Amino acid sequence: MEQITTNIYRVEIPMPGAPLRTTNSYVVRGPEKSLIVDTGLGGTEPMEVMGAALTRLGVDLKRTDFFITHIHPDHFGLLPHLAEDTARVYLNEREMNWFDGNNSYAALLDFARLNGLPDEEFDAASRHRPASGSSSRRNLRFHFLKEEDTIDIGDMRFRCIETPGHTQGHLCLFEPDRKVLLAGDHILGNISPVLEFMRVDGWQPLREYLAGLEKIRALDIELTLPGHGKPFRGHRERLDELKANHGRRLKEVVSLLRNGRRTAFQLASRMTWNGWHNSWGTLPLFEKIIVIGETVAHLAYLEKDGEVRRQVVEDRIMYSLEGIHGNGTV
């Protein structure tokens, strides 16, 4: 546990067996109510770590609310086990798709198969579902927040910033007096956050993600508190790095398509990945599926701009440069 500033603490919640190892949960103490921003993954070991930290901080869960930056199991898994009946749970309404089953594991696998995941890997993934946090809605009192809504904790007023891309309803919190941004997975210090893509009503995750980066650029931030990894300074420099990374990825997709029509799976297997997913051959199957979604997010961006063409061929989605800027049929 680490004190960030007066009454704001970072608790590293373990993610057993996961590449990122821990999720940051931030505890904001107030005289009347406290706020926990993201809870970490569900499970015995995470609960023991969280329980010890809350005891040490003297946090009363009967007087504690929760802010969930986004509905991924490593950010809300402990929520049903921590939230008392008196607790408010703040999040963006678009994140409720998770609870409604629109982002179920079965739907994710179908999406991956449509985008080129081979049948044998689809079958293997179907047999070995990854561990996840609890999806229970056990009497949780959801309160939906949007851009510019605020949460007051003691003398702190946190402002909501809508930053979709990593998920459809991702939210950050900004405290202007302390110049602190609780960034969730929108901005990470040492890796590029993956973009979650399920083709929903023409959603453009990369376009929205880049727009979210520009929102954050305009803020007077001294310290960024990410969902994973250590807090860091110099947010604008990090934004430039993330933006440049996606620019390189877009160019790489187009370059690969000059060799012919490809599925997102085929493209992903040939692309350059940095950080914890730097080798396609050693990447676990579930992470491959995540990277397929990341690749589709970039393809959707290019398709919207008329840079690539999408078509369904024998129950698979294929992308090409056919008919684009004078390109002939491959």
Side-chain angles (χ1 to χ4, degrees):
M1 188 176 66
E2 171 190 12
Q3 183 169 359
I4 301 299
T5 184
T6 304
N7 288 324
I8 300 180
Y9 300 83
R10 177 174 75 111
V11 183
E12 290 187 275
I13 306 299
M15 298 169 58
L20 290 176
R21 299 189 178 183
T22 62
T23 298
N24 292 327
S25 177
Y26 295 96
V27 180
V28 183
R29 291 195 309 185
E32 297 179 1
K33 276 216 167 187
S34 295
L35 181 72
I36 295 177
V37 179
D38 292 338
T39 67
L41 192 69
T44 302
E45 184 181 353
M47 188 64 184
E48 289 174 351
V49 172
M50 176 64 85
L54 295 179
T55 298
R56 184 176 168 190
L57 290 171
V59 171
D60 180 1
L61 286 174
K62 292 186 182 298
R63 297 190 299 118
T64 299
D65 292 332
F66 296 82
F67 179 93
I68 305 301
T69 59
H70 62 292
I71 298 293
H72 277 171
D74 57 323
H75 288 260
F76 89 105
L78 282 178
L79 177 63
H81 309 288
L82 293 171
E84 298 285 343
D85 292 341
T86 54
R88 287 189 173 194
V89 178
Y90 298 106
L91 75 164
N92 188 288
E93 189 171 9
R94 294 174 79 183
E95 291 298 281
M96 294 304 289
N97 280 337
W98 195 96
F99 282 111
D100 295 336
N102 295 342
N103 289 332
S104 69
Y105 185 62
L108 182 63
L109 289 186
D110 288 341
F111 170 82
R113 185 181 183 279
L114 185 63
N115 281 281
L117 184 71
D119 289 340
E120 59 273 17
E121 297 198 50
F122 175 87
D123 293 339
S126 299
R127 291 192 300 270
H128 301 288
R129 180 184 180 122
S132 64
S134 170
S135 61
S136 171
R137 295 177 66 165
R138 182 194 61 84
N139 298 321
L140 297 175
R141 298 169 59 208
F142 292 113
H143 289 257
F144 300 128
L145 298 178
K146 60 184 183 304
E147 185 85 6
E148 299 296 335
D149 285 344
T150 59
I151 302 174
D152 293 335
I153 302 293
D155 63 349
M156 292 174 278
R157 170 162 288 186
F158 293 92
R159 178 158 57 96
C160 293
I161 312 293
E162 291 186 354
T163 50
H166 181 63
T167 64
Q168 290 187 64
H170 191 288
L171 285 175
C172 295
L173 282 180
F174 176 56
E175 213 296 319
D177 290 337
R178 284 172 169 75
K179 299 182 179 181
V180 167
L181 177 76
L182 291 102
D185 281 0
H186 184 59
I187 307 169
L188 301 176
N190 55 356
I191 60 173
S192 179
V194 297
L195 301 177
E196 182 179 78
F197 192 91
M198 300 282 281
R199 185 170 287 276
V200 179
D201 298 330
W203 185 42
Q204 287 279 312
L206 177 56
R207 202 171 302 274
E208 293 197 32
Y209 179 76
L210 295 174
L213 293 183
E214 294 309 308
K215 280 187 192 179
I216 300 302
R217 184 186 300 277
L219 301 177
D220 185 12
I221 299 167
E222 289 188 355
L223 190 62
T224 298
L225 308 182
H228 304 277
K230 294 184 179 299
F232 61 91
R233 301 181 186 275
H235 73 290
R236 293 188 178 96
E237 290 82 357
R238 182 57 183 150
L239 298 182
D240 288 339
E241 292 170 354
L242 291 167
K243 185 176 179 180
N245 180 61
H246 287 292
R248 287 190 297 270
R249 196 162 289 171
L250 289 167
K251 291 179 180 177
E252 187 175 21
V253 168
V254 173
S255 178
L256 288 169
L257 285 176
R258 291 196 180 102
N259 297 321
R261 194 167 55 186
R262 298 286 187 270
T263 65
F265 174 88
Q266 291 168 331
L267 289 167
S269 67
R270 292 166 172 80
M271 290 172 68
T272 303
W273 303 101
N274 299 316
W276 56 269
H277 46 40
N278 58 6
S279 173
W280 182 263
T282 60
L283 200 64
L285 180 53
F286 183 66
E287 275 74 24
K288 285 183 180 179
I289 293 171
I290 293 173
V291 172
I292 291 172
E294 170 92 354
T295 304
V296 173
H298 288 79
L299 287 161
Y301 183 98
L302 292 165
E303 182 190 2
K304 178 76 172 178
D305 284 354
E307 299 292 329
V308 303
R309 179 186 178 197
R310 180 175 68 99
Q311 59 189 130
V312 178
V313 179
E314 296 179 353
D315 77 354
R316 293 290 193 275
I317 295 176
M318 307 289 294
Y319 292 88
S320 73
L321 302 181
E322 297 172 11
I324 303 295
H325 302 317
N327 286 282
T329 301
V330 176

